[in-house]
Amino acid sequence: RLLKMEEFFPESFRLDLEDERNAFFELCKEEQIWICKPSCSNQGRGIFLLKNPAAANTLQAKLHGTEEYLLNRRVQRKAPQARIVQRYIHQPLLLEGKKFDVRSYLLIACTAPYVVFFAQGYVRLTCVNYDAASDDLTVHLTNQYMQKKNSLYSQLKDETVWRMEHFNSYVNEKLRKSNGLPKDWVFTVFTKRMQQIMVQCFLAAKHKLHRKLGYFDLIGCDFLIDENFKVWLLEMNANPALHTNCKVLRDIIPTVVYESL
């Protein structure tokens, strides 16, 4: 069964498309949090939060000002910077009070014929406890590059990455009974949901892939679980980080690379 977008992807708008841009600014009139991300970037670069209508108005004015400047200079009109705004999931499931997401992998092993594989990845946690009202991006973004900016990172870095087995044990021991989850929810229900979403995204994009023997790609897929155990796809990364700056990553990343090759 194919899922509807709203079943797994937070409401999102492309700011480089006029219709979507206008639709977002028309919608963004209430006190709610949106996350603004540049496309074709990584490591959390250029990401910021829009936490109220005033912040959205400032962004709208900035985008409009850029367009006016280009028109007045009589230079070739450029589209606004390719960015998306995504509705922020402000009630994520927490692990020991900390926000987390899950990095898994989709290997497009071949495009002639299509062959794709799934690999378990790891859990990425923040250094400090979650606070939706915080202006500190290290509270909201879990990737290692962003966590390094937190003053506690050097002493906590090995605690910011969990093996999936650790995550599964934690859910079994601390969350399973109180939330009515089946045993090993991480490796059954959650894993199947990730695979279902990955397959659907692959089917949506496969017509854009160059079909040639020998072409392959490793995609990093980031999933967030909310407090109701609903699984959300945050983004898919064509250039996933392969750093091994903590113990868990030193065990996981080389295996992922070796198996991919």
Side-chain angles (χ1 to χ4, degrees), residues 5-221:
M5 287 281 283
E6 58 266 24
E7 290 184 76
F8 69 91
F9 193 61
E11 186 177 13
S12 302
F13 298 88
R14 285 178 56 177
L15 294 182
D16 58 319
L17 299 180
E18 186 175 6
D19 288 350
E20 291 199 24
R21 188 165 72 244
N22 291 340
F24 166 68
F25 287 120
E26 189 61 35
L27 176 67
C28 194
K29 304 289 187 187
E30 301 171 6
E31 293 286 333
Q32 52 191 322
I33 304 175
W34 295 81
I35 185 166
C36 188
K37 311 177 185 179
S39 64
C40 301
S41 186
N42 58 11
Q43 298 183 327
R45 291 190 184 96
I47 293 179
F48 57 88
L49 300 181
L50 298 169
K51 305 185 82 170
N52 50 53
N57 291 339
T58 300
L59 177 62
Q60 185 176 24
K62 183 177 179 181
L63 292 174
H64 182 71
T66 301
E67 286 191 332
E68 289 290 315
Y69 172 78
L70 292 173
L71 284 172
N72 292 337
R73 295 274 293 180
R74 296 181 181 178
V75 296
Q76 184 177 356
R77 186 177 180 184
K78 299 177 183 177
Q81 183 181 12
R83 285 183 166 272
I84 69 161
V85 282
Q86 188 175 73
R87 188 181 290 278
Y88 185 84
I89 298 167
H90 66 278
Q91 293 178 313
L93 182 67
L94 303 178
L95 299 180
E96 298 177 349
K98 297 174 181 178
K99 186 177 180 180
F100 74 96
D101 65 12
V102 174
R103 161 63 57 88
S104 293
Y105 296 98
L106 173 67
L107 173 65
I108 301 172
C110 186
T111 56
Y114 293 117
V115 182
V116 298
F117 293 95
F118 166 84
Q120 296 282 8
Y122 52 93
V123 177
R124 311 184 298 186
L125 299 91
T126 58
C127 291
V128 294
N129 284 2
Y130 178 65
D131 175 9
S134 175
D135 291 325
D136 181 359
L137 274 180
T138 68
V139 173
H140 302 280
L141 304 180
T142 62
N143 67 73
Q144 286 283 296
Y145 183 83
M146 186 59 64
Q147 290 307 305
K148 285 179 182 178
K149 297 182 178 182
N150 190 292
S151 59
L152 297 173
Y153 178 78
S154 59
Q155 64 190 80
L156 296 176
K157 70 176 183 177
D158 281 325
E159 298 174 28
T160 63
V161 180
W162 284 10
R163 289 176 169 278
M164 294 300 287
E165 290 81 3
H166 182 181
F167 179 38
N168 185 58
S169 297
Y170 184 93
V171 172
N172 279 342
E173 293 170 15
K174 304 284 183 68
L175 302 172
R176 184 171 75 88
K177 287 186 179 179
S178 59
N179 291 280
L181 303 176
K183 190 172 186 295
D184 295 330
W185 178 85
V186 168
F187 289 130
T188 55
V189 177
F190 177 51
T191 293
K192 287 178 182 177
R193 190 61 154 188
M194 288 193 292
Q195 292 172 339
Q196 183 183 22
I197 291 169
M198 286 182 184
V199 167
Q200 184 160 331
C201 291
F202 172 76
L203 293 174
K206 71 175 187 177
H207 69 283
K208 296 182 178 182
L209 300 177
H210 294 297
R211 300 197 66 188
K212 186 175 179 180
L213 199 61
Y215 278 23
F216 70 97
D217 205 355
L218 182 67
I219 310 294
C221 306

Side-chain angles (χ1 to χ4, degrees), residues 107 119 216 218 242 251-261:
L107 173 65
F216 70 97
L218 182 67
L242 298 174
D251 291 338
I252 292 174
I253 298 299
T255 303
V256 168
V257 173
Y258 179 81
E259 290 188 353
S260 296
L261 296 173

